[in-house]
Amino acid sequence: MATWIWAVAAVVLFAVYLSWTAGRLDRLHARIDAARASLDAQLLRRSSVAVELATSSLLDPAASILLLEAAHAARQAESEQREVAESELSLALRAVLDEPEQVAALRAAPGGEEAVRDLVEAVRRVPMARRFHNDAVRAARAVREHRLVRYFRLAGRAPFPLAFEMDDEPPVALTPEGASA
């Protein structure tokens, strides 16, 4: 009789562990969804600020066209091409605003100080949002790789989480190090 009690207790404890693990995995997937929404918002904000800057006539026409096309492509990109389009926007921002003299001239123009401030905030927040998203993805992947999670299919039908890999390096002139140079 005691053997049956221990066996039932072991099965109950195992079931509680599986339930706890499934709940943890569910919370991690919810964290990924929240982080992805935040990342999308920051990417949209960055492209919106880039469009505003490109259409403000503060830049020369060639730089405006380059920045406008990259920002528009980033906003219109399908999910499969989003990482590439956002990386191209980062490249365009670096091409247009890489020199401290360019940024200083932009700040000196009427309305330029506000435009630069908005852009600095936007490009600063994108890497943080991407890091939070990728950290959540890494945590969920670590749990999903456990044998028990795979054998008992505790992830359910949730898609396998994918990291968002892009070039998010800001222009040097918009970083604190570049601004002081």
Side-chain angles (χ1 to χ4, degrees):
M1 184 69 167
T3 306
W4 284 102
I5 293 174
W6 284 110
V8 168
V11 168
V12 167
L13 284 174
F14 186 68
V16 167
Y17 172 75
L18 289 179
S19 175
W20 176 81
T21 303
R24 178 174 178 228
L25 194 54
D26 186 52
R27 288 188 303 276
L28 285 170
H29 282 114
R31 185 173 141 207
I32 290 171
D33 291 342
R36 182 58 187 237
S38 176
L39 176 61
D40 287 341
Q42 295 307 323
L43 291 172
L44 182 63
R45 182 171 186 255
R46 182 179 77 150
S47 64
S48 296
V49 170
V51 166
E52 287 177 19
L53 181 62
T55 58
S56 69
S57 72
L58 294 172
L59 299 172
D60 64 87
S64 293
I65 290 172
L66 176 70
L67 196 55
L68 186 63
E69 286 180 355
H72 181 69
R75 289 176 114 179
Q76 301 299 321
E78 297 292 325
S79 60
E80 304 87 36
Q81 297 299 318
R82 184 101 189 260
E83 294 171 347
V84 173
E86 293 293 345
S87 294
E88 289 173 358
L89 177 56
S90 296
L91 289 171
L93 284 167
R94 284 197 304 270
V96 171
L97 301 169
D98 209 27
E99 298 297 322
E101 297 82 25
Q102 294 169 317
V103 175
L106 188 59
R107 286 179 193 247
E113 183 66 38
E114 182 181 343
V116 170
R117 187 173 357 103
D118 290 345
L119 188 60
V120 166
E121 289 215 10
V123 299
R124 182 180 59 85
R125 289 180 180 182
V126 168
M128 287 189 296
R130 189 174 76 87
R131 194 173 314 119
F132 290 144
H133 175 268
N134 289 350
D135 287 346
V137 167
R138 194 173 9 266
R141 281 182 168 185
V143 172
R144 287 183 72 150
E145 288 174 356
H146 291 169
R147 257 186 239 137
L148 288 177
V149 172
R150 288 193 320 260
Y151 292 159
F152 289 97
R153 300 178 190 239
L154 298 181
R157 296 175 188 234
F160 193 74
L162 299 173
F164 194 86
E165 297 299 332
M166 65 171 270
D167 175 7
D168 59 4
E169 185 178 333
V172 174
L174 296 181
T175 62
E177 299 82 28
S180 63

